[in-house]
Amino acid sequence: MAKNSKPLLILVDGSSYLYRAFHALPSLTNSKGAPTGAVLGVTNMLNRLFQDYQTRNIAIVFDAKGPTFRHEQYDQYKANRPPMPDELRSQIEQIHTIVRALGLPLLSIPGVEADDVIGTLAIQAREAGMKIVVSTGDKDLAQLVNDDVKLEDTMKNSVMDTDAVLEKFGVRPDQIIDYLGLVGDTSDNIPGVPKVGPKTASKWLNKYDTIDGLIENAEAIKGKVGESLRKHIDQLRLSQELATIKLDVPLDVKPEELQVGTADYGLLQTLYTELEFKSLLRSLPESEDVPVEAGVEVPETRYETVLTKKDFSAWMDKLKGAEKFAFDTETTSLNYMKAEIVGVSFCVETGVAAYVPVAHSYMDAPAQLDRDFVLGELKPLLEDAHVAKIGHHLKYDAHVLRNYAIELRGIEYDTMLESYVLNSTATRHDMDSVAKRYLGVETIHYEDVAGKGAKQITFDQVSLDTAGPYAAEDADITLRLHEELWPRLEVVDELVQIYENIERPLVPILIDMEHNGVLLDIEMLNDLSVEFASIMQKLETEAFNAAGQEFNLGSPKQLQEILFEKQGLPVIRKTPKGQPSTAEDVLVELALDYPLPQLILDYRSLSKLKSTYTDKLPMQADPDTNRVHTSYHQAVAATGRLSSSNPNLQNIPIRSTQGRRIRQAFIAPKGYTLL
């Protein structure tokens, strides 16, 4: 069972919460006549975040008082926005106090907007290896979206990833700044280009890619809208600057330091009493020292490690007499094609579970039941479609069993999919996260029993003293999760339909797809690697000549020195540490006027194709069949689409000539055709 993921950071656009809560709720007051609607709305929105996401990394970011650097760039910035209503202004300090009392980090930086602080933290967090969810209703923040950064709109219960940005605006996230520069923003009084609306902006950017490309071709655009564009190019540039989120705000805190602290429940009780928030008062624990993410007490458990045929037979009788049971495998690898079964666990009633080890091979490991014997006994039961199986990510277990000629049937309830269907916008559906969210249980983590990083051992080397409780707990928690999640699904017929008619029937199809794999022309990929290496060598020589010296083309530091110190090229943007950026979009802009950046871009492009595809794909293929076996993930994208990993077969390049040649290496066997 896979239990790996990047740490998650939640960045809350507090200013967006503030205005949306104020306008969404009626004009609420307490018995003294003091306005309370915005405070209640923001507090409820934050509490919902705690329910949806189980992470200790979070920050609430508000706009600071006073003008920002954008007002210096353009004195009419936000000039048409009416002043903040007094009934909202009077609630801000109370909201800040509640945020701090909840133990949440609060940031408000003078001279910049909340968007700029969020953008800076998102960049820094991504560099630190984190995933980021920005909770906001502000469309400007769509420019931050990438593989690691998503936007969540709590009021609309929607999550915006790169696909959703494209679907909503008709442009990619990296084009949003140019899009906003063209259409403007009435709420911020960003002028944009008169007569240019969203459809025109997206059409132009799809054709010319960037504002620079558009301006180069401005003469070719006909009609009144073309005249307006040519007349307002300076205004367009200004609008583009105003719409650009600053990514290098100096901050005193690092993303990984933004963590939930201990809540001050005494202060919260005082505030909620004064504000007359009765339901929030009832939600407070009696103790004043309970952390925000406190879980419920774990019930008493009876976990058994089965080492004898007599005990195994007793458990087989239990399983045969049950209409359904929870099941899990422990293996040597996350690679389902190579994983070997180390043990199996079961649970028929909550709190009572067993682990049957069959291949723990550490020194002095006790005698265990023979794997072939155990699987042979289980085979009729596991292949019986009339006996319902409950598991968490059963697709993986089905793969592993197939390696032992067992076809898992009766896949009735998968708690990973139940969690996903119930709330697809929750960012993680692994067992540890789901158990914490819905059961309040801190489970035993894989790292707790097998270690971390380079020192991590395979499960067959884990002592049965620790392996037994860990594996049995997996089966027990799976059953408990099903008993918690399924009743929640059952009350919404549409969700049951999605689970039973879409997600569950898809599992056996994906198992077949993954197990069959995709055939590669390995010889073609090897030839492309040699060809790409030759071209890269030529590009490297040309880059050395253009630079006047040899340097490491893959080193941003050396590239900074060559481009900006030695050659004196203009600095387009700086990194969070204040260094000139050598990011791809910066080099693309510089390449319009200078030869070396284009050589670097060409080299980088080929280097990525070579390392990611032509070198790596042959290594990922089965040496006997030349097939690669990806994993398709059902419980990832909020939109319901599949994602693919190891390797990712959904982003094989297509735009460049070389990318299309890599696609030609995906072939059909004799007598078949790819469509």
Side-chain angles (χ1 to χ4, degrees):
M1 182 179 297
K3 297 188 178 183
N4 299 328
S5 57
K6 292 182 179 180
L8 175 68
L9 171 66
I10 305 292
L11 297 174
V12 177
D13 183 353
S15 297
S16 171
Y17 269 35
L18 193 70
Y19 277 96
R20 300 185 87 201
F22 178 71
H23 291 293
L25 291 173
S27 183
L28 300 177
T29 59
N30 64 6
S31 59
K32 298 175 184 176
T36 60
V39 186
L40 179 63
V42 171
T43 307
N44 282 337
M45 290 161 81
L46 290 174
N47 283 335
R48 179 175 171 184
L49 269 184
F50 295 140
Q51 293 171 7
D52 288 349
Y53 295 102
Q54 298 295 318
T55 179
R56 295 204 65 80
N57 299 103
I58 191 169
I60 320 298
V61 187
F62 288 94
D63 289 328
K65 293 179 181 177
T68 71
F69 71 95
R70 290 183 181 85
H71 293 90
E72 297 172 12
Q73 288 179 303
Y74 182 51
D75 59 6
Q76 293 301 302
Y77 182 65
K78 294 191 177 181
N80 62 351
R81 184 175 288 190
M84 181 182 290
D86 290 339
E87 57 267 37
L88 175 56
R89 190 187 309 278
S90 65
Q91 298 180 69
I92 291 177
E93 191 55 44
Q94 290 172 315
I95 290 171
H96 287 188
T97 304
I98 286 176
V99 168
R100 293 189 179 99
L102 286 167
L104 305 175
L106 186 151
L107 299 177
S108 180
I109 310 296
V112 296
E113 297 179 50
D115 290 5
D116 303 308
V117 179
I118 289 169
T120 300
L121 286 170
I123 290 290
Q124 293 177 355
R126 193 184 190 203
E127 290 178 352
M130 305 176 85
K131 289 274 190 182
I132 303 96
V133 171
V134 180
S135 187
T136 183
D138 188 348
K139 66 179 183 299
D140 297 3
L141 287 159
Q143 63 191 267
L144 301 176
V145 171
N146 54 49
D147 290 344
D148 293 314
V149 181
K150 296 179 182 178
L151 307 187
E152 182 200 53
D153 186 334
T154 53
M155 284 196 167
K156 295 181 180 177
N157 195 27
S158 65
V159 169
M160 187 174 287
D161 58 9
T162 50
D163 288 347
V165 171
L166 185 60
E167 183 178 343
K168 181 176 176 64
F169 298 101
V171 296
R172 306 184 308 270
D174 61 288
Q175 296 174 304
I176 286 290
I177 294 171
D178 290 357
Y179 172 88
L180 294 172
L182 285 164
V183 301
D185 188 333
T186 52
S187 65
D188 289 344
N189 204 33
I190 296 176
V193 176
K195 301 186 186 305
V196 175
K199 288 185 178 178
T200 301
S202 61
K203 181 179 76 174
W204 284 351
L205 290 171
N206 279 305
K207 185 171 183 180
Y208 301 112
D209 199 52
T210 64
I211 278 181
D212 291 333
L214 173 62
I215 292 172
E216 283 180 14
N217 294 276
E219 295 299 329
I221 297 174
K222 309 297 183 187
K224 296 288 186 183
V225 71
E227 290 178 21
S228 182
L229 171 64
R230 291 185 286 275
K231 182 180 177 181
H232 295 95
I233 284 177
D234 288 343
Q235 185 169 293
L236 170 58
R237 289 294 193 191
L238 172 64
S239 300
Q240 186 187 27
E241 285 183 34
L242 293 172
T244 302
I245 291 175
K246 188 175 174 66
L247 302 176
D248 56 357
V249 177
L251 299 173
D252 296 330
V253 64
K254 295 179 180 178
E256 53 267 37
E257 296 170 348
L258 296 167
Q259 295 200 343
V260 178
T262 302
D264 186 340
Y265 287 106
L267 177 56
L268 286 172
Q269 187 167 25
T270 301
L271 291 167
Y272 292 167
T273 301
E274 180 184 326
L275 293 163
E276 299 173 6
F277 293 162
K278 294 178 182 178
S279 61
L280 288 173
L281 269 171
R282 286 194 297 270
S283 71
L284 293 176
E286 295 179 9
S287 167
E288 295 186 6
D289 298 314
V290 182
V292 171
E293 296 181 20
V296 298
E297 189 176 335
V298 181
E300 186 179 345
T301 56
R302 298 201 310 276
Y303 294 159
E304 179 183 352
T305 300
V306 177
L307 295 173
T308 67
K309 285 188 176 182
K310 179 183 176 183
D311 291 340
F312 178 66
S313 178
W315 267 96
M316 284 299 298
D317 290 341
K318 285 185 184 180
L319 298 178
K320 289 174 182 176
E323 290 183 5
K324 61 182 184 291
F325 62 87
F327 173 75
D328 187 39
T329 60
E330 298 300 341
T331 67
T332 56
S333 172
L334 292 175
N335 183 334
Y336 57 80
M337 294 300 290
K338 296 181 178 178
E340 298 176 14
I341 291 178
V342 176
V344 290
S345 55
F346 325 104
C347 182
V348 176
E349 59 178 302
T350 54
V352 182
Y355 176 56
V356 185
V358 295
H360 286 261
S361 56
Y362 57 90
M363 189 177 295
D364 298 326
Q368 300 150 64
L369 293 175
D370 178 71
R371 178 163 54 198
D372 291 341
F373 165 76
V374 169
L375 295 179
E377 292 290 302
L378 285 170
K379 181 179 169 76
L381 194 61
L382 295 174
E383 293 188 338
D384 188 344
H386 300 293
V387 179
K389 317 302 187 300
I390 306 168
H392 195 91
H393 193 202
L394 273 172
K395 177 159 68 71
Y396 172 82
D397 302 288
H399 271 303
V400 176
L401 289 168
R402 187 177 282 194
N403 295 339
Y404 293 88
I406 297 174
E407 288 295 323
L408 182 62
R409 298 189 181 96
I411 297 176
E412 194 73 19
Y413 303 108
D414 190 314
T415 50
M416 180 182 75
L417 298 180
E418 288 177 356
S419 169
Y420 177 60
V421 171
L422 185 63
N423 183 0
S424 67
T425 60
T427 54
R428 294 167 63 183
H429 301 280
D430 60 282
M431 180 184 286
D432 294 337
S433 300
V434 179
K436 192 169 185 179
R437 181 179 298 117
Y438 293 108
L439 303 178
V441 172
E442 186 72 52
T443 54
I444 307 170
H445 295 199
Y446 186 80
E447 291 79 9
D448 297 335
V449 300
K452 297 180 181 179
K455 294 183 178 179
Q456 190 173 81
I457 58 177
T458 51
F459 202 75
D460 58 316
Q461 297 301 307
V462 176
S463 166
L464 288 182
D465 291 339
T466 51
Y470 166 84
E473 182 190 70
D474 274 359
D476 179 30
I477 291 294
T478 298
L479 183 58
R480 291 178 56 197
L481 278 172
H482 168 66
E483 293 183 352
E484 176 69 27
L485 295 172
W486 189 249
R488 297 188 185 210
L489 284 171
E490 278 188 308
V491 297
V492 185
D493 185 60
E494 291 87 346
L495 296 182
V496 174
Q497 295 302 318
I498 290 171
Y499 178 83
E500 292 189 336
N501 297 331
I502 298 175
E503 297 298 348
R504 186 179 63 196
L506 187 58
V507 173
I509 295 169
L510 294 179
I511 292 168
D512 286 343
M513 287 171 60
E514 292 174 349
H515 222 85
N516 287 340
V518 182
L519 188 60
L520 291 178
D521 187 333
I522 302 295
E523 188 175 345
M524 178 188 286
L525 289 170
N526 290 337
D527 290 344
L528 282 174
S529 269
V530 173
E531 181 183 329
F532 289 172
S534 175
I535 299 172
M536 287 168 61
Q537 196 167 17
K538 291 176 184 175
L539 288 169
E540 189 177 53
T541 301
E542 291 180 40
F544 292 165
N545 292 335
Q549 68 179 78
E550 293 189 4
F551 66 102
N552 180 357
L553 273 68
S555 167
K557 188 173 187 299
Q558 292 185 31
L559 195 55
Q560 286 169 358
E561 294 171 358
I562 297 288
L563 293 178
F564 305 110
E565 295 178 20
K566 185 176 179 185
Q567 296 199 340
L569 271 58
V571 176
I572 306 294
R573 192 173 73 234
K574 291 188 176 181
T575 68
K577 294 183 179 179
Q579 299 299 314
S581 173
T582 59
E584 184 172 348
D585 61 324
V586 170
L587 294 181
V588 168
E589 190 169 339
L590 291 172
L592 297 172
D593 301 307
Y594 305 97
L596 182 54
Q598 186 60 56
L599 291 168
I600 300 297
L601 284 169
D602 292 344
Y603 182 90
R604 279 185 181 179
S605 176
L606 272 180
S607 176
K608 183 175 181 181
L609 290 177
K610 185 175 183 295
S611 61
T612 307
Y613 301 110
T614 61
D615 286 352
K616 194 172 182 181
L617 281 173
M619 296 170 61
Q620 292 176 297
D622 185 302
D624 297 323
T625 64
N626 286 348
R627 288 177 174 269
V628 288
H629 301 271
T630 187
S631 292
Y632 293 108
H633 306 290
Q634 286 176 267
V636 175
T639 56
R641 67 175 175 82
L642 296 172
S643 67
S644 164
S645 68
N646 297 320
N648 184 346
L649 297 184
Q650 293 178 321
N651 69 344
I652 306 298
I654 195 171
R655 291 185 179 179
S656 66
T657 303
Q658 293 96 336
R660 289 192 289 275
R661 291 175 69 192
I662 291 171
R663 284 185 168 236
Q664 292 170 7
F666 289 83
I667 57 175
K670 193 173 181 180
Y672 291 82
T673 302
L674 288 179
L675 291 177

